[in-house]
Amino acid sequence: MALKDLSPRQMVQITAAWLDPERERPLLVSLKRCAPLIDDIEAAHDGILKSHRPPKKANDELAAIQQKQIATDQVHDRKARGAHAVLTGFADLADDPEDAAIYLEIRDQLFADGLKFISASYSDEAGEVKLARDRLTPESKAALKALPTPGGNLLKAVQAWFAAGDELGKLDAQRVHLEAQDRPGAADPRGGQLRARNRWIKVMRSVLQMLELEEADAETTRRLLAPLDRETAKAERRRASGKETDAEGVAPPAAGGTGEPATDGEAPAAGVD
């Protein structure tokens, strides 16, 4: 059987029949040598599917997150600088030393290390907001609420700073998650497809070997091999006729120097993980 001549669509047609509980899966499960290969068949089947999916729009998603981070960071930095400046200014303007000391104490609760953090990473800025929120006492919140600012009061401005810091943390987590996602074949789609084909062929050969050792009855063997026989026959007719596509319009795997497996199951060493 010329497994290497099968198209990806034919490959998944064959293994779909073997994995379908309403079709041939119960037969495979009933054979003691074939049953342990079910997981491998599923992995090979999924590998073909995944390697032919359109690449995820990861770059667009990352770009959108980065734009949100930039805009949110501007709010974060502006509110932090403003709150720090206002508290410092009220301390300078206060004629009562006790009032001045209260403003400076609140400033130090919020900004234990000054404004150094606004030049740190987004995740560090998010962490600093959590620390500042925890340091702020109820009395300090009441004092902030009594200090007027354009459009509200200083507590409202500080809360806007906190909210921006929280959002930066969420956006950074989304970015890290997106960058860590496994995208099979995204950077090298042809290489990913070749590896998936090689894996599928190896698993298929293992199943055929185990089926031969099983010495199953003729009806069981016929049913299990029917999807494979049908698709390989189509592939062989296609190759013999010299057509470039099969009846379903699927281009067959190229031969020779395109990275196609050189034998019925394995590509040259450079094409296999």
Side-chain angles (χ1 to χ4, degrees), residues 83-201:
H84 187 278
V86 167
L87 287 167
T88 302
F90 269 101
D92 287 339
L93 292 172
D95 293 325
D96 188 333
E98 291 185 3
D99 290 340
I102 290 173
Y103 298 140
L104 293 177
E105 181 182 359
I106 297 173
R107 185 194 67 181
D108 292 343
Q109 286 176 12
L110 291 171
F111 307 98
D113 295 315
L115 291 171
K116 295 178 182 178
F117 66 90
I118 65 173
S119 60
S121 68
Y122 294 143
S123 60
D124 285 345
E125 288 181 338
E128 182 61 31
V129 157
K130 289 180 172 60
L131 294 175
R133 182 187 284 119
D134 184 68
R135 290 191 297 260
L136 194 62
T137 66
E139 293 78 14
S140 295
K141 290 180 182 179
L144 288 171
K145 192 172 183 179
L147 296 178
T149 64
N153 56 66
L154 195 52
L155 179 61
K156 183 178 178 181
V158 167
Q159 289 171 338
W161 162 41
F162 288 170
D166 292 338
E167 181 65 13
L168 285 175
K170 292 177 183 178
L171 290 170
D172 201 55
Q174 292 174 14
R175 177 191 60 79
V176 170
H177 176 72
L178 186 60
E179 290 177 344
Q181 281 185 341
D182 181 22
R183 300 184 295 277
D188 181 16
R190 291 187 65 84
Q193 292 170 8
L194 176 60
R195 287 190 290 273
R197 285 180 59 81
N198 283 340
R199 176 63 176 166
W200 188 95
I201 291 172

Side-chain angles (χ1 to χ4, degrees), residues 15-81:
T15 42
W18 285 4
L19 294 170
D20 188 344
E22 302 297 324
R23 298 174 68 186
E24 315 309 338
R25 187 182 185 116
L27 281 181
L28 279 175
V29 172
S30 71
L31 302 175
K32 65 178 182 180
R33 289 184 175 86
C34 294
L37 295 174
I38 290 289
D39 288 346
D40 291 320
I41 297 170
E42 289 180 334
H45 181 83
D46 289 345
I48 295 292
L49 294 176
K50 290 178 181 178
S51 70
H52 286 80
R53 289 173 184 162
K56 294 180 180 178
K57 297 180 180 180
N59 290 338
D60 291 343
E61 292 177 22
L62 281 172
I65 288 174
Q66 289 168 350
Q67 289 301 314
K68 289 180 182 178
Q69 286 178 316
I70 291 171
T72 304
D73 187 52
Q74 290 175 347
V75 174
H76 168 278
D77 292 358
R78 182 166 55 82
K79 296 295 184 179
R81 285 195 302 267

Side-chain angles (χ1 to χ4, degrees), residues 206-220:
S206 296
V207 173
L208 294 175
Q209 290 169 357
M210 292 301 102
L211 187 59
E212 184 177 355
L213 291 174
E214 284 280 357
E215 297 182 353
D217 62 78
E219 177 61 16
T220 297

